[in-house]
Amino acid sequence: MTRSLQCLRILATLLFALTVATTVRGQSSERGQIRGTISDSSGAVIPHAQVTFTNTATNIALKTTADGHGIYVFTALPAANYHLLVEAPSFGPIEKAGIQLVVNQQTTIDVTLVVGSAAQNVQVQAVPVLLDADNATLGADVGEQI
């Protein structure tokens, strides 16, 4: 009886280890993180700004609101190209196109809003720096091969 109990324990342990390994791998694959601070031209933070990242391939928009310190965070974003839109009352909206997020990348995109009416729209065409000085983790871009 003790031998069958030992085999059952070993089997349960292996099954648990396999489940944990699969879960951890599934959570980290093909994902990245984007964070930043929303401020005005004087450097003062803008709390509660609306931040939208739109995946340009799928046109799926993910939205969040910056906290009271003007900080926003998007975690577990699929690796893709994104379009950023930031809006806040009394400020003109800011758009940034061509933001490429690669696998395991953690990047910071700070945005400076300009005082203006809601009818104004400022577009910035820039590619963010792919080097994240806050994190030494390496990532790779996984794409389709034909």
Side-chain angles (χ1 to χ4, degrees), residues 32-38 49-53 62-67 70-77 84 101 105-110:
Q33 175 180 313
I34 299 176
R35 63 188 175 277
T37 303
I38 312 299
Q50 297 296 314
V51 183
T52 304
F53 272 94
L62 302 169
K63 298 181 180 189
T64 193
T65 302
D67 67 11
I71 297 171
Y72 72 90
V73 179
F74 285 89
T75 58
L77 286 173
L84 168 66
L101 183 65
Q105 180 183 9
Q106 295 182 8
T107 190
T108 301
I109 301 175
D110 295 329

Side-chain angles (χ1 to χ4, degrees), residues 122-137:
V122 179
Q123 289 190 353
V124 179
Q125 295 289 344
V127 177
V129 178
L130 294 179
L131 175 64
D132 183 7
D134 296 336
N135 188 338
T137 304

Side-chain angles (χ1 to χ4, degrees), residues 75-87:
T75 58
L77 286 173
N81 288 320
Y82 288 91
H83 178 267
L84 168 66
L85 172 64
V86 180
E87 301 172 289

Side-chain angles (χ1 to χ4, degrees), residues 27-63:
Q27 289 176 349
S28 65
S29 66
E30 300 184 20
R31 303 284 177 182
Q33 175 180 313
I34 299 176
R35 63 188 175 277
T37 303
I38 312 299
S39 61
D40 65 12
S41 57
S42 71
V45 297
I46 301 173
H48 313 297
Q50 297 296 314
V51 183
T52 304
F53 272 94
T54 303
N55 183 320
T56 58
T58 64
N59 209 28
I60 294 175
L62 302 169
K63 298 181 180 189

